[in-house]
Amino acid sequence: MVKAVVAGAAGGIGQPLSLLLKLSPLVDELVLYDVVNTPGVAADLSHISSNAKVAGYLPADSGVKTAFKDADVIVIPAGVPRKPGMTRDDLFNINAGIVKGLIEAAAEVAPKAFILVISNPVNSTVPITAEVLRNKKIFNAQRVFGVTTLDIVRAETFVAEIAGKSTPQGLTVPVIGGHSGETIVPLFSQVTPKVTIPDDKYDALVHRVQFGGDEVVKAKDGLGSATLSMAYAGYRFTEKLLKAIKGAKGLVEPSYVYLPGIPGGKEIAEKVGVDFFSVPIELGPNGAEKAVDVLGDLTAKEKTLLEAAIKGLKGNIEKGVTFANQPPQQKL
Ligand code: NAD
Ligand code: LMR
């Protein structure tokens, strides 16, 4: 029996992600949690004749704890999205507290859940997640994932366009680092099957992968950021993880994780000089079974991108760790 929870389920990502999870044969119980509208979304989804049983909870009567209780997987797209002109870091002040609160609830009632963090800024909300769990002495790095799949999905799409490939999903494009602007490092030299990116298109392609989120924010013109492509990406990662938990082999997807807590990750963390970092992760029954080192064969341009990414990541990580460890605010 697999119980999957979506926290932020009534939102732009939450609703289509919940729909996809409701259609999945890998989910037996789908629980929707949000501060608004989950009874309606749950009632709506529950009429779909797929297997998963659906329930929705609001904060009243400790709804978050009832929702999270004994969950196997908790996917978190709760929090505010960007408007034009904002960076993901501008979301920190609101979303950091939201994620912290949700993780505290998860720690209490679902300490073994796999936690998939979508809420931005991912570069900081994942360190918050890890630190909250560490302070409660239940942190298992193999079970905490920052969802960066949308960067991979975008890279597949944009590379396929440039390389003239008709099946973007047939490409594997490693994207490492973090999830914001220059912290996103696409490794086009390691695309399989191999593709040739013309020199005069390389910089624009890197920029498009790094700033694809801004493209959507601008096009939505004040009405939020990527939701449908993110729901797809979030579902893709969740589905792979669920298959791996059930024993499927050979499933790999990049994710932003705490490297020192994952087999193979300590050496990568030493090389890059940060502990939270996205690399391809081999998934299995324990979650993140192995961090794959793709740093060996970088081109000179990729090395330059990586240096810039690490510089940006350091501050983002520190900010999350500090926030998680600050004493609770005094109520006046
Ligand atoms: P949205 O505003 O449409 O939905 C967010 C939902 O979260 C709302 O329904 C809101 O009520 C809910 N919420 C707020 N506080 C909550 C709490 N304490 N508990 C539970 N639910 C709560 O926003 P969206 O477009 O769905 O985006 C959600 C987040 O995902 C944003 O932070 C956005 O930046 C991020 N995002 C991340 C990626 C990624 O690649 N990781 C991609 C797109 C968006
Ligand atoms: C994205 O990459 O689309 C998300 O992180 C949302 C955003 O703010 O760009």
Side-chain angles (χ1 to χ4, degrees), residues 82 88 120 150 154 179 213-214 217 225-226:
R82 285 199 283 165
R88 292 179 183 80
N120 271 316
L150 183 51
R154 286 184 178 130
H179 176 69
D214 296 64
V217 169
S225 55

Side-chain angles (χ1 to χ4, degrees), residues 44-56:
D44 191 355
L45 285 179
S46 72
H47 290 191
I48 296 175
S49 56
S50 58
N51 287 347
K53 297 275 167 278
V54 186

Side-chain angles (χ1 to χ4, degrees), residues 13 81-83 86-88 91 118 120 122 150-151 154 179-180 184 209-217 224-227 229-230:
I13 297 166
R82 285 199 283 165
K83 290 192 187 322
M86 292 172 84
T87 65
R88 292 179 183 80
L91 305 172
I118 292 173
N120 271 316
V122 166
L150 183 51
D151 301 321
R154 286 184 178 130
H179 176 69
S180 73
I184 299 170
V209 173
Q210 291 185 323
F211 294 91
D214 296 64
E215 206 176 288
V216 180
V217 169
S225 55
T227 53
S229 52
M230 183 59 233

Side-chain angles (χ1 to χ4, degrees), residues 259-303:
L259 282 174
I262 292 168
K266 194 162 167 277
E267 297 75 9
I268 304 173
E270 279 164 9
K271 280 190 197 171
V272 292
V274 285
D275 285 344
F276 291 92
F277 195 82
S278 182
V279 289
I281 299 292
E282 243 177 68
L283 300 167
N286 298 310
E289 301 284 356
K290 189 176 168 214
V292 181
D293 188 346
V294 290
L295 300 172
D297 291 319
L298 303 190
T299 64
K301 282 185 178 174
E302 288 166 352
K303 281 183 188 155

